[in-house]
């Protein structure tokens, strides 16, 4: 079978989506591209994010994927139209997927500065629920610290306290992890939030949308071999690629994937 599901992100974050795709659809081989030569995306201009997204999606398409999952909220927020135009296969976005599942009246969004500034989450949630009070907070410090391997350190904790304060003040009942790196911080964020506040990972909703697409492609139906959390995921059929250093990505990915993966360095036209 060809590499069925293409996913991309600027770095480690999209692995939180890949992990869920694997857990739900272990018979659909994935191709993951971490554009680590250009991480973080969230501090880049709209034009840069759109042209990078176009280039990455063209590369994934050339490898023969059957469906694309936007495993990066920043690209999803600013370049979904670009991805749809370039992909030539069905595209699943995180933002629309999760917006249609939210029932809370007061919603907080933690996202990269570019995603927060775009207002994409607010628009998507209001399209489903016009009454929802949505507050988006840009969290510029998170991705660089996560890429360096930090998950609970004092700098990260201090930043998290600052980013959560306006959302707690807002009375958020649900906080969306609006960057795929942030599920890696869920244990820290959980410690800092009142118990009644729900943390929402949009990847769960996106994975639900992917199921019917994979069924259409003739893959084995979902739900046959669910993995239990914490179990190493079956990576044998997955191709993991990065535009930066493969060795450091493999080491950094191991604590999330539960195993040290094989990682390949690839050259996109302008990522050098
Ligand atoms: N993980 C990505 C996202 O979901 C990109 C983070 C970044 O590179 O700034 O937004």
């Amino acid at each position: 079978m060809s590499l069925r599901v293409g996913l991309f992100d600027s770095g480690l974050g999209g692995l939180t989506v890949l992990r869920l795709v694997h857990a739900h659809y272990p018979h659909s081989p994935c191709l993951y591209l971490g554009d680590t030569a250009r991480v973080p995306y969230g501090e880049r201009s709209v034009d840069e994010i759109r042209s990078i997204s176009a280039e990455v999606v063209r590369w994934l398409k050339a490898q023969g994927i059957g469906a694309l999952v936007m495993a990066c909220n920043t690209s999803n927020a600013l370049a979904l139209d670009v991805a749809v135009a370039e992909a030539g296969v069905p595209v699943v976005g995180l933002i629309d997927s999760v917006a249609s599942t939210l029932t809370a009246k007061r919603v907080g969004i933690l996202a990269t500065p570019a995603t927060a500034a775009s207002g994409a989450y607010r628009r998507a949630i209001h399209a489903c629920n016009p009454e929802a009070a949505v507050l988006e907070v840009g969290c510029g410090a998170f991705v660089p610290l996560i890429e360096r391997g930090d998950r609970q350190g004092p700098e990260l904790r201090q930043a998290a306290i600052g980013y959560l304060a306006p959302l707690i003040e807002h009375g958020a009942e649900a906080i969306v992890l609006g960057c795929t790196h942030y599920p890696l911080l869920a244990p820290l964020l959980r410690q800092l939030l009142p118990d009644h506040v729900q943390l929402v990972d949009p990847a769960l909703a996106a994975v639900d949308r992917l199921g019917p697409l994979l069924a259409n492609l003739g893959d084995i139906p979902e739900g046959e071999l669910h993995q239990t959390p914490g179990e190493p995921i079956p990576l044998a059929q997955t191709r993991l690629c990065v535009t930066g250093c493969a060795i450091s990505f493999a080491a950094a990915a191991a604590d999330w994937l539960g195993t040290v993966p094989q990682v390949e360095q690839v050259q996109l036209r302008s990522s050098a």
Side-chain angles (χ1 to χ4, degrees):
M1 190 192 291
S2 60
L3 290 165
R4 193 59 100 187
V5 184
L7 306 98
F8 78 96
D9 182 43
S10 58
L12 287 172
L15 295 179
T16 65
V17 185
L18 176 70
R19 192 171 182 271
L20 284 175
V21 171
H22 263 299
H24 285 77
Y25 312 112
H27 300 288
S28 295
C30 296
L31 169 60
Y32 182 85
L33 179 69
D35 191 8
T36 48
R38 297 186 281 206
V39 65
Y41 284 176
E43 309 281 343
R44 293 178 181 274
S45 71
V46 174
D47 284 351
E48 277 180 302
I49 292 164
R50 288 176 69 79
S51 76
I52 288 172
S53 300
E55 183 181 60
V56 168
V57 174
R58 273 199 295 274
W59 184 84
L60 288 166
K61 181 187 180 185
Q63 316 306 309
I65 57 172
L68 174 70
V69 176
M70 304 285 288
C72 170
N73 288 268
T74 308
S75 303
N76 189 160
L78 294 155
L80 180 63
D81 58 326
V82 171
V84 168
E86 295 287 351
V89 295
V91 177
V92 177
L94 297 165
I95 298 176
D96 284 354
S97 297
V98 73
S100 62
T101 67
L102 293 171
T103 52
K105 291 190 176 63
R106 305 193 71 77
V107 181
I109 312 292
L110 295 171
T112 64
T115 301
S118 76
Y121 264 102
R122 191 171 15 83
R123 280 194 301 282
I125 294 169
H126 282 163
C128 303
N129 177 8
E131 306 300 320
V134 182
L135 182 64
E136 295 159 286
V137 173
C139 312
F142 277 168
V143 169
L145 288 169
I146 294 168
E147 287 286 326
R148 265 183 258 147
D150 196 352
R151 301 287 182 272
Q152 295 260 4
E155 205 183 331
L156 198 52
R157 174 174 283 266
Q158 216 39 53
I161 290 169
Y163 296 141
L164 290 176
L167 299 182
I168 294 170
E169 175 79 9
H170 177 66
E173 301 144 29
I175 294 182
V176 177
L177 301 170
C179 167
T180 52
H181 282 72
Y182 301 172
L184 296 164
L185 303 182
L188 169 66
L189 299 173
R190 202 57 277 171
Q191 284 168 26
L192 300 173
L193 284 168
D195 288 346
H196 71 273
V197 178
Q198 189 197 357
L199 275 183
V200 181
D201 180 355
L204 285 162
V207 161
D208 280 347
R209 283 205 176 170
L210 182 61
L213 300 178
L214 294 177
N216 278 344
L217 291 168
D219 286 4
I220 292 173
E222 66 177 291
E224 288 202 350
L225 275 174
H226 281 260
Q227 301 286 302
T228 48
E231 205 174 299
I233 64 169
L235 287 172
Q237 297 189 90
T238 284
R239 186 176 166 209
L240 286 178
C241 301
V242 289
T243 54
C245 174
I247 294 167
S248 59
F249 187 83
D255 70 337
W256 185 247
L257 296 176
T259 178
V260 181
Q262 287 278 355
V263 180
E264 198 183 317
Q265 187 177 31
V266 294
Q267 177 78 65
L268 310 189
R269 208 159 16 96
S270 58
S271 65

